Amino acid sequence: MAKTKGASKKQQNRGIDFKKIKRKIGRKLPPPKNTTNTEIKSKAIVLPEQSVVSEKAGLALSKKGLTLKELLQHTSHHNAKVRKDALMGMKDLFLKHPEEIKLHRYAVIEKLRERISDDDKTVRENLYQLLKSVILPGCKEDNQGPVISLMMAYIFNAMTHLAIDIRLMAFKFFDLAVEYHPPLFFSYAEKILQNYEDILQKNQFYLEDRGKLKNVLAGLVRCLLLLPSSKEVNLLAKNVPEQKILQAFEHDVPTVFAEYSVIIKKLKNLVPVLVNCFQDFLPVIHDSLDAQSFDCMLNILRSLDHAVKFFIHGVQQGHPEPPPVDQSFSSVLLKKLLVVFPLSPMHHLSEKDDDRYVILNIAITEIFMHLSEWICPPAVLFEKFLTFVEYVLVEKSCSNVRSGKAVREKQISTLIPFIPKLVSRVIGNWKNRLLQAFTKTFQDCSPESSVKLACLAAIEEIIISQEDLLCTDVNDLGQFDYKITLVRELPKLLVLLGNRHPSSSKVVLHLLLRLGQRSLLYDDMQGLLKEFYSTDQDKGNICYGPFLRLARDSQELSICCLYYLSQLDSTLLKSIASCCLCQELDPFMLFRIIEVLHSTYKAGHIQISDHINFLITLASRYKVCPENIFPATDRDKKTSNHATFKSLTSVVCSCLSQMGDNSLVFVILEKVILEQISLKPPLDNSCAMLRILIALDSKPTRLSEQSICTLSNVLSAYLIDVAHCVPEYNDESTIHGQTRRYYLLPSFILFDRSYKLLNLVLNVMGSLINGRSSSLLSGDHIRYAKGNSSIINAIVSVLLWMQRDAKVQQILYLYKEEIDHISRSICSLQSSEEINVPIEERHIIST
């Protein structure tokens, strides 16, 4: 019993862990004690407007609704992502509102320049892209010097940063600044060259990131490209436009010379660094030359080349202090570069890799060629380069498999400018070998290629500038053969170029003119020149060459070249005449052609018969449009060339009058003119022939009896056509009266010089009236007046015009019988019933 009592007491002292709650059936369970109340209670707040929105009204906003001020503030945020987004937002804002750039460019640059040394790579890249694609192009029309100068202190500060990535990126920013404001380099030349020297001496990043090194070297090339060289000075002296490079800043040239000693000193320190940098890449040559290593090596060689050209420029310009560099320095530089020349792989490479090696070897060759102007290289070394040049010219110009067209042309074009100097320096067999390789390259390359243009410049220097050098050895005919071959290729090139490449055609024509001025054009070139102007096709069609479609200055050059041919043949003159007769030819050029050819005739380069035929062809076959003397519509008035043809007639008459003794020229022309008029040309051309005739004739006339008889038939028909085409007006001061006077005057002058001609003309008119109806309607030489009434009315008008002319009126008194005969014939025609004249025409005649 005692045991049971103790146990129950123990159970009463223990606590209860979980209290069980009894729930009645049908009652709703209460919610748990840890349940979260999700019920939301709110009260509406009504505001008249939001102050933030009102403050931004009318301001330029980004996609996220931020203003320029807010975006600039975000660029200093501690979070890199916020800084990056701010730059992206500014790009979006400036693209939508480009005027914001011009309004706030200084404030924007002052804030953004702080990010040049930003610790985050993406922020720096976005800043670079923002400046390159939006901000600097947006300020291009303004003076960018003050804008870019705001960044320079921060760029130079970044160039000395401890982080290598920031330092490399700083050179990229500087390259961008020089691109948009080239004179900037001259203001900071000493500091920037020192920074390039420092960064290139840091070898730790060469093999880590060659892409960044490539950017640094590309910026260095851009800077050194701004330095003056003898090439640019020569181009300015020749007044030849240079290609689009950043060098033509005349107002900054004194700055370069003022800082000449500083630049020379820095370059002397920089060149060995570049050479060592290049040698560090040589192990890559024997394995595989990747794209980034190739770009780095090429930029190093280009930098060295620009530095050498600047050294030579200093020597040529005579800068005494300090001396640019001594010959020992040049010899060391040459030996270091040429110890591995030519660069070649250890095993067979792909086509692309092979091109890379050739390009690098060409770059070394350029440096050698420039240094060889300064020092005299050993003969063995010189021949080594000659062999390489010959290989590039011959093998690469003929290769269609191992090299793409664009790459091959670029390789050859680089070496072509050195050919003239090499030809002038080498002796013996090498001179002919180089000329042979050069000639083959010129013949094989396509007409529109850059190689062709480079060859044209070289031809001018080889043939013209070095003409005496080619003539030193009279026994070596091979050099003369190459010269003749090159000159004869030029007309072929003109025809092949056509009008698709006008700039190239102009270069060829300019070269031909220079050759002509040195008496280096050959008469056998005229066959190809004829194709340049025009050629005759089947059935009398004419195929016009490129001449008509070239610009006026090119046409002028081509015409001036004709003056220097020793003897122009008739076929070439015929080809030129066809161009003169084409309506597409500018009237200015028409008269210019006549002027040059007449000067050529005076110089004895054209036969008198050929020159006369050329001038008569123009006067007799020039098509006057519209053929009606008085255009019927406004469109015809605008397109009319009557005035041009009148001027042409005057010029032809003037040229023929200056050809020598008029009596001798008249003997040659008399038969030709009568033949042309007998062909029933249009009225204007007939008038031109008559004016030429009276320009060379005299009083009394030089016309033969046979010519007078022939001319009487032609002249009567001409006068009838004039009367038919020119309306009758009594007032001579009107345009109709002046026009009639222009067409009648040649005939009246001939009548004054030959009374017999007037008599025969009156007889022909009388016979036309008295003739049968069939002959009256068909008048052999009458072109415009058709029908009895038209012809008779025209004859009456002609007689009335003769009566109004004082001189002709006096002559008519001598032939009163012939005039009475014409009057009686007209009256007889009115009353005659034998002749079949319609009633309408009888009425017209009677009136």
Side-chain angles (χ1 to χ4, degrees):
M1 283 297 290
K3 193 173 185 179
T4 304
K5 203 177 214 182
S8 62
K9 187 177 182 180
K10 188 176 182 179
Q11 289 179 356
Q12 289 178 358
N13 293 335
R14 292 176 59 187
I16 301 172
D17 293 335
F18 299 99
K19 186 177 180 180
K20 186 175 180 182
I21 302 175
K22 294 183 179 181
R23 304 292 182 186
K24 295 183 178 181
I25 298 174
R27 298 288 182 91
K28 184 178 180 180
L29 295 176
K33 293 182 179 181
N34 60 350
T35 301
T36 302
N37 186 8
T38 59
E39 183 180 357
I40 298 176
K41 295 181 180 181
S42 63
K43 293 183 179 180
I45 301 175
V46 180
L47 297 175
E49 62 178 358
Q50 298 217 7
S51 59
V52 177
V53 176
S54 63
E55 291 176 0
K56 295 184 177 181
L59 298 178
L61 302 177
S62 65
K63 288 183 179 179
K64 295 184 178 181
L66 298 176
T67 62
L68 179 59
K69 182 179 180 180
E70 292 171 336
L71 290 171
L72 290 175
Q73 292 174 350
H74 287 183
T75 57
S76 301
H77 198 273
H78 63 87
N79 191 309
K81 186 178 182 304
V82 176
R83 298 197 300 270
K84 174 188 170 184
D85 291 341
L87 295 174
M88 297 296 292
M90 292 178 65
K91 181 178 181 180
D92 171 63
L93 186 145
F94 287 146
L95 291 176
K96 286 184 178 180
H97 307 279
E99 68 278 359
E100 293 291 316
I101 301 177
K102 295 182 179 181
L103 292 175
H104 308 287
R105 56 184 181 275
Y106 296 110
V108 170
I109 294 296
E110 287 178 353
K111 189 65 177 176
L112 293 183
R113 62 186 180 178
E114 301 172 359
R115 300 299 102 211
I116 293 176
S117 300
D118 196 281
D119 296 334
D120 190 80
K121 177 181 178 181
T122 59
V123 174
R124 297 194 303 270
E125 289 291 344
N126 278 275
L127 174 62
Y128 176 82
Q129 294 300 327
L130 177 62
L131 292 171
K132 181 178 181 180
S133 60
V134 181
I135 296 179
L136 293 181
C139 303
K140 200 169 186 180
E141 298 179 357
D142 303 324
N143 183 13
Q144 293 187 331
V147 175
I148 293 179
S149 62
L150 294 174
M151 302 188 298
M152 294 313 301
Y154 288 79
I155 291 177
F156 286 124
N157 182 51
M159 287 182 178
T160 58
H161 201 278
L162 294 177
I164 189 65
D165 287 344
I166 296 178
R167 296 182 65 183
L168 293 175
M169 193 67 191
F171 286 94
K172 197 173 179 181
F173 280 109
F174 181 79
D175 184 30
L176 181 63
V178 172
E179 179 183 351
Y180 281 90
H181 190 60
L184 181 72
F185 169 72
F186 302 123
S187 302
Y188 302 96
E190 180 179 8
K191 184 179 293 187
I192 189 60
L193 290 177
Q194 181 61 52
N195 283 321
Y196 273 115
E197 180 184 346
D198 294 340
I199 196 67
L200 291 176
Q201 286 177 338
K202 304 299 181 181
N203 297 325
Q204 66 268 20
F205 64 88
Y206 281 171
L207 300 179
E208 294 178 1
D209 195 342
R210 295 176 184 175
K212 296 178 181 179
L213 176 62
K214 180 185 73 172
N215 294 332
V216 173
L217 292 170
L220 178 60
V221 172
R222 187 188 298 277
C223 292
L224 297 181
L225 186 61
L226 298 172
L227 297 175
S229 65
S230 57
K231 176 183 177 183
E232 282 70 45
V233 172
N234 293 334
L235 286 171
L236 291 174
K238 292 182 179 180
N239 197 22
V240 178
E242 178 60 80
Q243 295 179 352
K244 189 177 180 181
I245 57 176
L246 301 172
Q247 298 198 12
F249 294 94
E250 298 181 2
H251 57 281
D252 294 309
V253 172
T255 305
V256 180
F257 293 139
E259 302 295 333
Y260 180 82
S261 59
V262 175
I263 297 177
I264 283 293
K265 181 180 178 182
K266 290 300 178 183
L267 284 180
K268 286 182 66 176
N269 297 332
L270 182 61
V271 166
V273 176
L274 289 171
V275 173
N276 294 332
C277 184
F278 182 80
Q279 290 178 337
D280 289 339
F281 279 94
L282 291 180
V284 183
I285 294 290
H286 304 296
D287 296 331
S288 61
L289 188 59
D290 59 280
Q292 290 186 349
S293 299
F294 165 75
D295 291 336
C296 291
M297 297 179 72
L298 183 60
N299 285 330
I300 291 172
L301 294 175
R302 287 176 176 171
S303 300
L304 290 171
D305 185 49
H306 292 314
V308 169
K309 287 192 292 185
F310 183 62
F311 292 155
I312 297 173
H313 172 74
V315 174
Q316 294 177 345
Q317 295 297 315
H319 292 281
E321 294 182 2
V325 277
D326 52 17
Q327 292 191 355
S328 61
F329 176 86
S330 304
S331 300
V332 172
L333 172 62
L334 196 61
K335 289 179 181 179
K336 285 187 176 183
L337 285 178
L338 303 182
V339 71
V340 293
F341 181 83
L343 299 174
S344 58
M346 298 296 295
H347 50 81
H348 177 72
L349 298 177
S350 64
E351 170 189 336
K352 190 173 183 179
D353 290 335
D354 181 64
D355 288 335
R356 289 174 178 170
Y357 282 93
V358 173
I359 292 172
L360 291 177
N361 286 325
I362 289 176
I364 297 176
T365 305
E366 289 186 76
I367 299 174
F368 169 78
M369 292 301 301
H370 291 131
L371 284 174
S372 62
E373 298 178 11
W374 195 359
I375 61 175
C376 184
V380 177
L381 187 60
F382 195 39
E383 186 168 356
K384 197 175 184 180
F385 278 93
L386 291 176
T387 304
F388 174 75
V389 171
E390 183 185 31
Y391 159 76
V392 174
L393 293 180
V394 176
E395 298 297 331
K396 288 294 180 180
S397 63
C398 299
S399 175
N400 293 321
V401 179
R402 290 192 56 78
S403 179
K405 180 180 178 181
V407 176
R408 185 170 66 250
E409 289 181 355
K410 188 174 182 180
Q411 295 171 358
I412 300 174
S413 300
T414 307
L415 288 180
I416 291 296
F418 297 106
I419 298 300
K421 292 182 180 179
L422 288 175
V423 171
S424 64
R425 293 177 58 184
V426 299
I427 58 175
N429 188 38
W430 266 114
K431 189 181 292 289
N432 284 332
R433 287 175 64 178
L434 286 177
L435 286 173
Q436 180 181 6
F438 174 76
T439 304
K440 182 173 178 57
T441 300
F442 180 65
Q443 291 174 329
D444 293 344
C445 63
S446 59
E448 67 278 2
S449 66
S450 58
V451 178
K452 211 69 159 184
L453 286 176
C455 288
L456 290 173
I459 289 174
E460 181 175 358
E461 190 172 352
I462 290 174
I463 298 179
I464 297 177
S465 303
Q466 301 178 5
E467 182 180 1
D468 297 335
L469 295 175
L470 292 176
C471 301
T472 52
D473 190 358
V474 296
N475 297 321
D476 191 358
L477 299 178
Q479 299 176 27
F480 295 97
D481 292 338
Y482 290 125
K483 181 185 72 173
I484 294 172
T485 301
L486 291 172
V487 174
R488 287 175 176 167
E489 286 291 323
L490 298 179
K492 297 180 184 178
L493 179 58
L494 270 181
V495 177
L496 292 174
L497 286 171
N499 63 323
R500 301 183 305 275
H501 308 279
S503 58
S504 299
S505 298
K506 186 176 180 180
V507 173
V508 177
L509 290 169
H510 188 272
L511 177 56
L512 282 171
L513 182 60
R514 292 287 306 277
L515 293 172
Q517 292 169 346
R518 294 296 189 96
S519 301
L520 295 174
L521 296 181
Y522 307 104
D523 290 339
D524 56 2
M525 299 165 55
Q526 297 186 51
L528 287 171
L529 283 175
K530 182 177 67 173
E531 297 182 21
F532 174 72
Y533 292 101
S534 67
T535 53
D536 294 332
Q537 302 294 320
D538 297 337
K539 300 179 180 181
N541 295 325
I542 298 176
C543 178
Y544 294 106
F547 170 78
L548 282 177
R549 293 178 290 275
L550 292 177
R552 178 185 288 186
D553 53 352
S554 296
Q555 291 178 338
E556 174 86 11
L557 288 172
S558 66
I559 294 302
C560 291
C561 291
L562 301 175
Y563 179 84
Y564 298 101
L565 292 171
S566 60
Q567 193 68 42
L568 267 72
D569 57 29
S570 57
T571 57
L572 180 58
L573 286 174
K574 182 180 178 182
S575 175
I576 298 171
S578 298
C579 292
C580 293
L581 297 175
C582 181
Q583 298 297 317
E584 297 180 10
L585 184 66
D586 187 359
F588 170 84
M589 190 52 57
L590 169 64
F591 297 118
R592 181 63 178 144
I593 291 174
I594 298 174
E595 179 186 357
V596 172
L597 291 181
H598 192 61
S599 300
T600 307
Y601 162 76
K602 291 181 178 179
H605 301 165
I606 302 179
Q607 296 289 338
I608 184 171
S609 58
D610 293 336
H611 192 41
I612 288 176
N613 287 335
F614 172 78
L615 295 174
I616 295 300
T617 299
L618 297 186
S620 61
R621 297 185 183 180
Y622 190 89
K623 186 177 180 181
V624 181
C625 298
E627 194 169 337
N628 297 331
I629 296 176
F630 298 103
T633 63
D634 293 338
R635 181 179 180 184
D636 291 339
K637 292 179 181 179
K638 293 180 181 179
T639 59
S640 174
N641 59 357
H642 281 83
T644 300
F645 185 68
K646 287 181 179 180
S647 301
L648 173 63
T649 303
S650 300
V651 170
V652 170
C653 292
S654 176
C655 290
L656 291 172
S657 301
Q658 300 172 18
M659 293 184 68
D661 189 350
N662 284 351
S663 60
L664 296 178
V665 177
F666 184 84
V667 172
I668 301 173
L669 275 173
E670 181 181 1
K671 183 179 179 181
V672 177
I673 291 178
L674 291 176
E675 288 177 353
Q676 293 296 326
I677 298 179
S678 299
L679 296 175
K680 294 172 57 177
L683 196 61
D684 289 278
N685 301 97
S686 298
C687 181
M689 293 291 102
L690 294 174
R691 285 183 170 272
I692 293 172
L693 200 61
I694 63 175
L696 301 173
D697 196 11
S698 63
K699 185 179 182 179
T701 184
R702 296 190 178 107
L703 289 168
S704 62
E705 295 293 329
Q706 182 181 357
S707 298
I708 291 175
C709 293
T710 304
L711 188 59
S712 63
N713 294 320
V714 174
L715 202 56
S716 59
Y718 169 76
L719 290 171
I720 291 172
D721 283 336
V722 172
H724 177 76
C725 295
V726 180
E728 178 68 31
Y729 282 89
N730 295 327
D731 188 0
E732 293 292 332
S733 63
T734 63
I735 186 172
H736 293 83
Q738 295 173 1
T739 303
R740 181 176 64 246
R741 181 72 179 170
Y742 176 82
Y743 287 100
L744 291 177
L745 186 60
S747 303
F748 290 174
I749 293 176
L750 287 172
F751 293 156
D752 181 53
R753 295 175 179 178
S754 175
Y755 293 176
K756 181 179 180 180
L757 178 60
L758 176 58
N759 185 20
L760 292 175
V761 168
L762 293 174
N763 291 333
V764 172
M765 290 182 177
S767 64
L768 285 173
I769 298 173
N770 293 328
R772 294 177 304 171
S773 174
S774 59
S775 64
L776 185 64
L777 291 170
S778 63
D780 293 338
H781 297 287
I782 299 174
R783 182 182 178 94
Y784 300 101
K786 301 299 182 182
N788 296 344
S789 61
S790 298
I791 294 176
I792 294 173
N793 284 335
I795 292 174
V796 173
S797 297
V798 171
L799 293 175
L800 292 175
W801 293 341
M802 290 181 182
Q803 288 288 343
R804 294 170 188 164
D805 188 271
K807 290 185 177 180
V808 180
Q809 184 183 20
Q810 295 176 2
I811 305 172
L812 286 178
Y813 289 140
L814 302 175
Y815 303 104
K816 186 176 180 182
E817 183 179 348
E818 282 78 3
I819 296 175
D820 292 340
H821 174 69
I822 294 174
S823 300
R824 289 193 299 269
S825 299
I826 293 174
C827 294
S828 174
L829 183 64
Q830 294 175 5
S831 59
S832 174
E833 296 181 358
E834 295 179 0
I835 301 177
N836 185 18
V837 179
I839 297 176
E840 295 82 359
E841 293 192 7
R842 288 180 186 268
H843 176 70
I844 295 173
I845 293 172
S846 64
T847 56

